[in-house]
Amino acid sequence: MQNMGTDDGRNGVVENYNRHDHYHSDTEVVGVDRHAFSGPLVSHSGPLNKRAGKKSARFNIPEGAPGSNSGNNNDDYVEITLDVRDDSVAVHSVKTAGGADMEDPELTLLAKGLEKRSSFGSSVVRNASSRIRQVSQELKRLTSFSKRPIGRLERTKSAAAHALKGLKFISKNDGGAAWAALEKRFNDLTKETNGLLPRSLFGECIGMNKESKEFAGELFDSLSRRHHITGDSINKEQLREFWDQINDQSFDSRLQTFFDMVDKDADGRITEDEVREIISLSASANKLSNIQKQADEYAALIMEELDPDNQGYIMIENLELLLLQAPTHTVRGESRNLSQMLSQKLKTTPYGNPIRRWYEDFKFFLMDNWKRCWVIVLWITVMVGLFTWKYIQYKNRVVYELLGPCVCIAKGAAETLKLNMAIILLPVCRNTITWLRNKTRLGVAVPFDDNLNFHKVIAVAISIGVGLHAISHLTCDFPRLIHATEEQYAPLEQFFGEQAKNYWHFVKEPVGYTGIIMVVLMTIAFTLATPWLRRGTLKLPSFLKKLTGFNAFWYSHHLFVIVYTLLIIHGLKLYLTKDWYKKTTWMYLAVPISLYACERLIRAFRSSVKPVKILKVAVYPGNVLALHMTKPNGFKYKSGQYMFVNCAAVSPFEWHPFSITSAPGDDYLSVHIRTLGDWTRQLKIVFSEVCQPSGNGKSGLLRADCKGESPNFPRVLIDGPYGAPAQDYKKYDVVLLVGLGIGATPMISIVKDIVNNMKAKEEEESAMENGGTLQKNKSSTSNFRTTRAYFYWVTREQGSFDWFKGVMNEAAEMDKNGVIEMHNYCTSVYEEGDARSALITMLQSLNHAKNGVDVVSGTRVKSHFAKPNWRNVYKRIALNHTGSRIGVFYCGAPAPTKELRQLAHDFSHKTSTKFEFHKENF
């Protein structure tokens, strides 16, 4: 027997080697004195079968904490059995000490890693004993590292499964395709390079987008080092090798490829400089400028967590263990039932009978749109009644004998025009609508949220009416009057006077030229109001481009003053109606025009007597200007409402609507304005000139904070508040708030309002405990019903999160009862699992665990990458709130509206949870 002892002072492990020669078997035991040292115990026992050069070894690895006194309990050990050959080591099994199969995916991957790494050094193993010692030392090192806590990250059983989904170098969104498509791109790109693909075109060839060009270049370099390729070009055969490696579904292969990208000098170690460089590269590919600026800080964080012994480098094992951490995006209320539900897809109930299917679809349509339906049906019924009445009336008059149905159609269309020209003003009487929805219960039956949509529908009806009226006169009535015989014309001379010889006879009359001018002005206004011209999205020559946009829409719409004046004159100069009381045009218009005129006077008076003082100006990334101003006395509003803003320094006549981002409980008003047009761009310039911006060193935020010293700020007038869909959120116990980009503004006000109500409730509870009065506070929270709010903010730019950083941090701090669940989505970052965002995910987990701050948003709310899966969002809410009414409020660009509305429709009809969708587009 030969005894050898070594004392490793660094990790406190004593190893005793005992060797017995017995026939064809060797036995080697590696042990630790558990009472004297705190190192991990790794033991090997049992015979080694040397037949045919094969040996077997069993290692017992303790699962308990190092240094514990649980070593006598067999349940604390994991037994790994290896097949040891002269040139390799293979894992035979991983079991508990009791003999049961081990199902822990992390230890399985640990053993697999041992198998892989042990094979690298096989050429230097000369005999079984040295080989076993090497394996034992490797196991000790791995288990020692695995037992050391990394930061404050939690590890779960799903870690391995999660890791296997990560580190994808090709995503479907980037055009990742099979080899055939890749080969075609290669052929197209190498036509002029003799079949050699340069490094600069590698990313484009494999399907990465332009933003990932630098990342693709580093991937090219790492693959070239792995395959011992020198130079900056590869042929098709080498590209196939590269493709097979980056398309490999093995996690180990993807891990090694990622490690090679970071390890530029190929020494098997990652230094802090290499970590810093890959952080900058990943941040650039994901358009995360703030992370790129703080690369030094985050590189030090990674080294601190993964290199606690200050060795100055990270090994692949350290990186692997970090990647094995399960995702920490935990959400309250999730359960096994949720996981099962998320794996299912809603299926439409099959109806064999098409009539039954149409009936069900129609029933659901009425359930969702009954408010709109009854208003539209009533409106159409009135129009049909008026048209029919006038048609019959003129069919019984003498003019019918010469002009026939043409005059009936013209007069019927004219009657509907009178009605529509009157009621088209009502949907834009904002003060009246706001009063009705706030002070009455008409909102239960009247869809006030659709006021602008109804305004547009009426405009279409007016266009149809004008067409029928004008065409009937120009192509039928006037030609018949001109070409009529004296006998035919005689009965009509009392109406038209001397018979006309040509069209000019009618044009020169007041009824003629007023009609023509009205048609021209309405054509201009209607055309410039179309979305593609109002938003300036239509590609036009530069000289025509100046005639489009919001300003052109705004000014052309004010031509209505001329139109209504001409309409009244037109109605008073009719040929066929002589009695004043039968000239009803002015009767239709009197009330709506008076109401609208009062609205405009109230707006002008209210804005002039309620001046505001600018308290603070901030210019944020993404061209967003934030204005904080004093709140006028008596200015009462609800979260979700909006107000109009006027700045005479930009334009004395233009008023633009913006959602109020402050909460009703705040002592100030605030709006966040994104520069998307001429007026907003000029507004930003005006305020930036008055208050010079100053940099914020940590966040890189461009701020112009002039609080307390704003004597030279331009004069700002406000008008409002006005009702909006989001203001009805208090009608629901549970709400889903969705904001896209700057569309988060009304939702932020709601979040702040919920936080303020939580504060008020805490004060009430405190007053109750102290025996104080509750009367004052009770009124402020008596109407507050919301017990759960889900807030989803989706934005393209990292800098956007700076807009409302303070609000989100306050909500996260105040929300001790889990009322508000906030989700930030940054769509510029590649989805979780993509290699280009892998390091960002690591940084996010480490920094949030250590500092409680998200590296992407800079808030306490952890960010998600890419776009939300809205179906899964609806599913989870439907499961968590079965049988409830959920208010869904969306504000932003029109693109997601259809999907969100359709999902609300589907889940309302196929689950017990009812989703009521409200939207506000800009």
Side-chain angles (χ1 to χ4, degrees):
M1 178 182 295
Q2 183 180 10
N3 295 324
M4 297 180 293
T6 63
D7 186 353
D8 188 342
R10 183 175 59 85
N11 57 19
V13 177
V14 172
E15 300 179 331
N16 295 306
Y17 303 104
N18 299 290
R19 182 165 186 167
H20 299 270
D21 294 328
H22 187 268
Y23 299 106
H24 297 288
S25 65
D26 286 354
T27 302
E28 183 169 335
V29 178
V30 182
V32 176
D33 184 347
R34 300 179 64 88
H35 300 286
F37 303 95
S38 61
L41 174 62
V42 181
S43 65
H44 153 246
S45 61
L48 277 73
N49 187 355
K50 292 186 179 179
R51 294 171 187 150
K54 178 180 177 181
K55 310 170 185 68
S56 63
R58 187 175 70 242
F59 295 86
N60 295 326
I61 302 176
E63 288 190 286
S68 65
N69 294 324
S70 58
N72 296 330
N73 189 343
N74 286 339
D75 292 337
D76 290 339
Y77 290 84
V78 175
E79 184 177 278
I80 301 179
T81 304
L82 305 177
D83 289 335
V84 184
R85 297 178 180 269
D86 290 337
D87 60 349
S88 67
V89 176
V91 176
H92 183 271
S93 64
V94 180
K95 298 182 178 181
T96 63
D101 289 337
M102 190 67 191
E103 297 182 354
D104 192 323
E106 297 178 22
L107 283 174
T108 303
L109 278 180
L110 189 68
K112 293 289 185 182
L114 170 66
E115 172 184 340
K116 175 190 68 176
R117 288 184 292 273
S118 297
S119 63
F120 294 157
S122 60
S123 60
V124 299
V125 180
R126 299 299 182 184
N127 53 60
S129 297
S130 61
R131 185 65 173 155
I132 296 303
R133 277 197 297 271
Q134 182 193 21
V135 172
S136 301
Q137 301 245 359
E138 181 78 356
L139 277 171
K140 286 181 183 181
R141 186 178 63 80
L142 290 174
T143 53
S144 175
F145 186 85
S146 67
K147 297 305 175 185
R148 184 177 67 220
I150 298 180
R152 281 148 290 283
L153 298 174
E154 298 180 0
R155 298 181 64 182
T156 67
K157 294 292 184 181
S158 63
H162 168 69
L164 290 173
K165 297 178 181 178
L167 290 179
K168 294 180 294 185
F169 288 91
I170 300 296
S171 68
K172 293 180 180 179
N173 293 334
D174 286 333
W179 170 252
L182 182 67
E183 188 176 22
K184 183 179 182 301
R185 284 199 295 268
F186 176 86
N187 294 333
D188 294 339
L189 294 172
T190 58
K191 286 180 180 179
E192 300 179 358
T193 57
N194 297 323
L196 293 178
L197 180 70
R199 178 182 184 272
S200 59
L201 297 178
F202 178 69
E204 181 180 352
C205 185
I206 64 174
M208 287 188 176
N209 56 24
K210 294 180 180 179
E211 288 77 9
S212 303
K213 185 176 181 179
E214 293 182 9
F215 188 92
E218 294 297 334
L219 178 59
F220 179 92
D221 293 341
S222 65
L223 293 171
S224 297
R225 290 193 298 268
R226 169 60 67 89
H227 293 274
H228 307 291
I229 297 174
T230 58
D232 290 338
S233 299
I234 57 173
N235 56 34
K236 185 183 295 186
E237 183 179 351
Q238 292 168 331
L239 176 64
R240 182 57 188 261
E241 294 177 359
F242 284 15
W243 174 256
D244 289 340
Q245 183 170 343
I246 63 178
N247 206 33
D248 194 334
Q249 297 303 309
S250 166
F251 173 70
D252 283 339
S253 175
R254 295 198 295 251
L255 174 64
Q256 188 64 54
T257 301
F258 185 75
F259 185 86
D260 291 343
M261 282 187 62
V262 186
D263 182 22
K264 291 192 172 184
D265 55 7
D267 63 351
R269 300 175 179 181
I270 301 176
T271 63
E272 186 169 345
D273 289 338
E274 290 171 330
V275 172
R276 184 184 303 109
E277 188 169 348
I278 197 67
I279 288 175
S280 297
L281 191 66
S282 298
S284 175
N286 291 278
K287 302 178 182 178
L288 301 175
S289 57
N290 291 348
I291 293 180
Q292 200 167 3
K293 295 174 184 176
Q294 296 175 264
D296 291 344
E297 176 185 340
Y298 291 135
L301 173 64
I302 289 181
M303 297 301 293
E304 176 187 344
E305 296 294 328
L306 299 186
D307 181 29
D309 297 328
N310 295 321
Q311 295 178 351
Y313 59 85
I314 299 172
M315 302 295 290
I316 192 172
E317 297 84 14
N318 310 63
L319 188 63
E320 179 178 356
L321 286 174
L322 182 59
L323 287 170
L324 283 172
Q325 302 300 330
T328 56
H329 289 289
T330 57
V331 180
R332 302 182 185 94
E334 296 210 12
S335 64
R336 183 174 300 178
N337 291 335
L338 173 61
S339 299
Q340 294 174 355
M341 188 174 183
L342 291 178
S343 65
Q344 299 173 357
K345 292 184 178 179
L346 290 178
K347 296 181 179 179
T348 305
T349 305
Y351 294 108
N353 189 339
I355 297 178
R356 173 70 185 279
R357 183 171 64 253
W358 294 336
Y359 167 76
E360 293 294 333
D361 291 342
F362 181 70
K363 181 179 71 174
F364 289 139
F365 175 81
L366 288 180
M367 289 172 59
D368 292 335
N369 301 280
W370 67 271
K371 290 183 183 180
R372 300 182 182 95
C373 288
W374 82 260
V375 172
I376 294 296
V377 168
L378 176 62
W379 171 60
I380 292 176
T381 302
V382 172
M383 284 197 300
V384 170
L386 290 174
F387 186 92
T388 304
W389 169 54
K390 277 297 177 182
Y391 191 99
I392 296 173
Q393 185 183 80
Y394 275 83
K395 187 177 180 180
N396 296 324
R397 295 187 62 175
V398 66
V399 294
Y400 186 80
E401 295 179 4
L402 175 61
L403 303 181
C406 297
V407 69
C408 299
I409 294 175
K411 290 302 179 178
E415 203 67 20
T416 64
L417 277 171
K418 296 175 189 177
L419 172 70
N420 289 328
M421 288 296 289
I423 65 175
I424 197 172
L425 294 174
L426 299 180
V428 291
C429 292
R430 300 186 186 93
N431 287 300
T432 303
I433 291 176
T434 301
W435 184 84
L436 289 174
R437 70 187 298 163
N438 290 343
K439 302 298 183 180
T440 70
R441 298 185 62 83
L442 287 177
V444 176
V446 179
F448 289 120
D449 293 345
D450 292 315
N451 61 322
L452 291 183
N453 290 331
F454 190 43
H455 179 78
K456 296 172 185 177
V457 170
I458 296 173
V460 173
I462 289 174
S463 301
I464 297 172
V466 168
L468 288 174
H469 183 75
I471 291 172
S472 296
H473 279 327
L474 294 175
T475 64
C476 186
D477 292 337
F478 291 171
R480 290 189 179 188
L481 289 171
I482 294 172
H483 298 100
T485 63
E486 292 184 4
E487 182 180 356
Q488 292 175 323
Y489 187 79
L492 303 182
E493 190 172 357
Q494 58 178 322
F495 302 112
F496 297 100
E498 185 180 351
Q499 185 176 5
K501 303 300 182 181
N502 50 46
Y503 276 93
W504 179 248
H505 175 86
F506 300 105
V507 172
K508 67 181 182 179
E509 296 293 327
V511 72
Y513 62 74
T514 56
I516 293 173
I517 295 174
M518 281 193 293
V519 170
V520 172
L521 294 181
M522 284 194 289
T523 301
I524 294 173
F526 287 13
T527 302
L528 294 178
T530 54
W532 46 88
L533 292 179
R534 179 167 55 90
R535 298 177 182 273
T537 57
L538 192 65
K539 293 183 179 180
L540 295 171
S542 56
F543 69 94
L544 290 177
K545 193 76 172 177
K546 297 178 181 179
L547 301 178
T548 63
F550 184 84
N551 288 345
F553 155 76
W554 193 87
Y555 285 113
S556 65
H557 247 56
H558 282 75
L559 294 173
F560 78 92
V561 177
I562 301 174
V563 171
Y564 277 99
T565 302
L566 295 175
L567 180 60
I568 293 174
I569 296 173
H570 188 85
L572 293 175
K573 297 294 184 178
L574 296 177
Y575 285 118
L576 300 177
T577 304
K578 301 302 181 181
D579 298 329
W580 70 269
Y581 58 88
K582 293 183 180 180
K583 298 177 180 181
T584 57
T585 302
W586 66 273
M587 300 179 186
Y588 278 97
L589 300 179
V591 174
I593 288 181
S594 299
L595 181 62
Y596 186 78
C598 291
E599 286 258 341
R600 298 301 295 260
L601 289 173
I602 291 172
R603 175 186 296 184
F605 177 76
R606 184 169 56 187
S607 61
S608 62
V609 300
K610 291 185 178 180
V612 295
K613 179 182 179 182
I614 301 298
L615 301 175
K616 175 182 173 183
V617 177
V619 181
Y620 292 105
N623 287 323
V624 170
L625 173 70
L627 299 179
H628 291 240
M629 61 198 78
T630 56
K631 182 164 65 172
N633 293 330
F635 191 93
K636 298 180 180 180
Y637 65 98
K638 297 180 180 180
S639 289
Q641 292 184 333
Y642 67 95
M643 65 182 183
F644 280 80
V645 176
N646 170 272
C647 180
V650 178
S651 172
F653 305 109
E654 293 184 47
W655 292 80
H656 293 261
F658 299 101
S659 297
I660 304 173
T661 53
S662 54
D666 296 334
D667 58 358
Y668 63 91
L669 288 175
S670 66
V671 291
H672 286 66
I673 302 170
R674 187 161 196 176
T675 55
L676 296 175
D678 297 338
W679 188 89
T680 53
R681 191 177 298 110
Q682 188 62 32
L683 184 71
K684 178 188 173 184
I685 293 173
V686 167
F687 278 96
S688 298
E689 289 175 350
V690 174
C691 188
Q692 293 298 325
S694 58
N696 183 320
K698 184 175 181 181
S699 65
L701 185 64
L702 180 65
R703 295 183 63 87
D705 191 348
C706 297
K707 187 174 181 179
E709 43 183 88
S710 55
N712 297 322
F713 274 132
R715 186 183 182 210
V716 172
L717 303 178
I718 63 171
D719 175 53
Y722 293 107
Q727 76 173 60
D728 294 329
Y729 86 95
K730 288 187 178 182
K731 296 179 180 179
Y732 302 91
D733 296 329
V734 181
V735 293
L736 170 59
L737 310 173
V738 180
L740 186 63
I742 197 64
T745 48
M747 311 309 168
I748 286 295
S749 179
I750 292 174
V751 170
K752 293 177 71 175
D753 192 32
I754 294 174
V755 171
N756 290 342
N757 276 281
M758 287 191 292
K759 290 180 181 179
K761 283 191 173 183
E762 289 182 0
E763 293 176 1
E764 290 179 6
E765 293 173 359
S766 177
M768 288 182 63
E769 293 176 359
N770 298 329
T773 178
L774 302 177
Q775 192 62 34
K776 183 178 179 179
N777 287 336
K778 187 173 181 180
S779 62
S780 63
T781 60
S782 58
N783 296 325
F784 184 68
R785 292 181 50 183
T786 306
T787 59
R788 193 81 160 109
Y790 298 87
F791 175 43
Y792 285 79
W793 184 14
V794 184
T795 183
R796 290 193 305 265
E797 303 169 352
Q798 180 187 15
S800 302
F801 296 116
D802 290 331
W803 304 345
F804 309 113
K805 182 184 295 185
V807 177
M808 304 191 79
N809 284 333
E810 183 182 12
E813 182 179 355
M814 284 292 303
D815 189 19
K816 299 176 182 178
N817 298 323
V819 175
I820 309 173
E821 184 180 296
M822 294 182 289
H823 298 269
N824 293 334
Y825 280 82
C826 187
T827 58
S828 70
V829 184
Y830 291 96
E831 63 183 349
E832 187 177 350
D834 194 296
R836 286 164 289 187
S837 62
L839 200 65
I840 305 300
T841 305
M842 298 181 210
L843 277 177
Q844 187 184 49
S845 298
L846 289 174
N847 198 66
H848 201 276
K850 181 178 181 180
N851 303 317
V853 178
D854 182 68
V855 295
V856 177
S857 67
T859 69
R860 298 186 180 186
V861 181
K862 292 195 71 174
S863 299
H864 305 267
F865 304 153
K867 296 179 180 179
N869 185 326
W870 293 118
R871 179 171 289 271
N872 287 349
V873 171
Y874 274 84
K875 283 180 180 178
R876 189 166 61 83
I877 295 176
L879 180 65
N880 291 340
H881 305 282
T882 55
S884 301
R885 283 175 63 247
I886 313 295
V888 182
F889 299 92
Y890 169 73
C891 182
T897 304
K898 182 178 179 181
E899 180 184 6
L900 292 170
R901 179 190 285 116
Q902 186 61 45
L903 287 171
H905 174 274
D906 291 342
F907 279 87
S908 295
H909 300 155
K910 298 169 186 177
T911 68
S912 61
T913 307
K914 304 304 176 187
F915 293 86
E916 298 182 7
F917 182 74
H918 310 266
K919 60 94 177 176
E920 185 177 356
N921 296 137
F922 53 78

